[in-house]
Amino acid sequence: MSEHINQEQFQELKDLLEDDFIDLINTYVADSEKRIIEMQTAFDNEDNRMGFESAHSLKGASSNLGATNLTEMCYQLQEICREGQLHKHQQLIDDIKAESQAVNADIQAQLDA
C-alpha cells in the first residue's frame, strides 16, 4: 500500500471484522464520496455547519481505517468551519477530495491483492 493508509491499522481492522470488513469498506467508500459532495455544497452555500458535520463524519470514518492524512485534513476543515471561515478554503476541500480518491484507490488495490 502507500502512505495514504496505515497498513498495520488497516490489517488489524480487517482481521477484527473478518466477513463484515467488505461491507464496512463499501459503506466507507460510498459515504466518503457523499461527504465530499456535501463539503463542496457547504462551501458553495457558505454553510459552515454542513461543512463541519461532513468533515467530522469523514474524519471519524477515515481515522478508523488508518487514513491518517485524510483524517488530519478533515480535522483542519472542521476547525475552519467552527471558526466560520469555510468560504476561504476551496483549496483544502480540493485537497481532501484528492486524498479521499487516493485512499479509496489504495483500499481497492488492497482488496484486489
Side-chain angles (χ1 to χ4, degrees):
M1 251 174 162
S2 78
E3 70 278 1
H4 299 287
I5 295 178
N6 177 308
Q7 181 64 43
E8 187 177 320
Q9 188 175 345
F10 187 84
Q11 191 60 46
E12 284 176 13
L13 189 62
K14 186 177 181 182
D15 293 345
L16 179 71
L17 295 178
E18 296 176 347
D19 294 342
D20 294 331
F21 185 71
I22 295 298
D23 289 340
L24 173 81
I25 293 303
N26 290 335
T27 300
Y28 172 80
V29 170
D31 188 64
S32 66
E33 292 169 358
K34 178 183 167 202
R35 299 301 175 191
I36 298 294
I37 291 167
E38 288 176 356
M39 287 177 200
Q40 187 60 58
T41 301
F43 176 85
D44 293 343
N45 295 322
E46 295 188 23
D47 186 340
N48 285 282
R49 189 174 65 87
M50 177 192 261
F52 178 90
E53 290 170 2
S54 299
H56 181 74
S57 178
L58 185 55
K59 179 188 77 172
S62 299
S63 177
N64 290 338
L65 283 179
T68 52
N69 290 341
L70 185 54
T71 300
E72 179 57 33
M73 293 169 142
C74 289
Y75 174 76
Q76 290 172 12
L77 187 63
Q78 184 181 302
E79 293 305 301
I80 286 165
C81 291
R82 190 188 311 268
E83 296 165 5
Q85 299 296 312
L86 177 61
H87 64 283
K88 297 179 181 177
H89 293 278
Q90 177 66 57
Q91 185 60 54
L92 181 56
I93 293 170
D94 291 344
D95 293 346
I96 289 171
K97 187 182 302 183
E99 184 65 18
S100 180
Q101 289 170 344
V103 165
N104 290 347
D106 280 1
I107 289 169
Q108 192 58 53
Q110 179 69 11
L111 296 179
D112 292 343

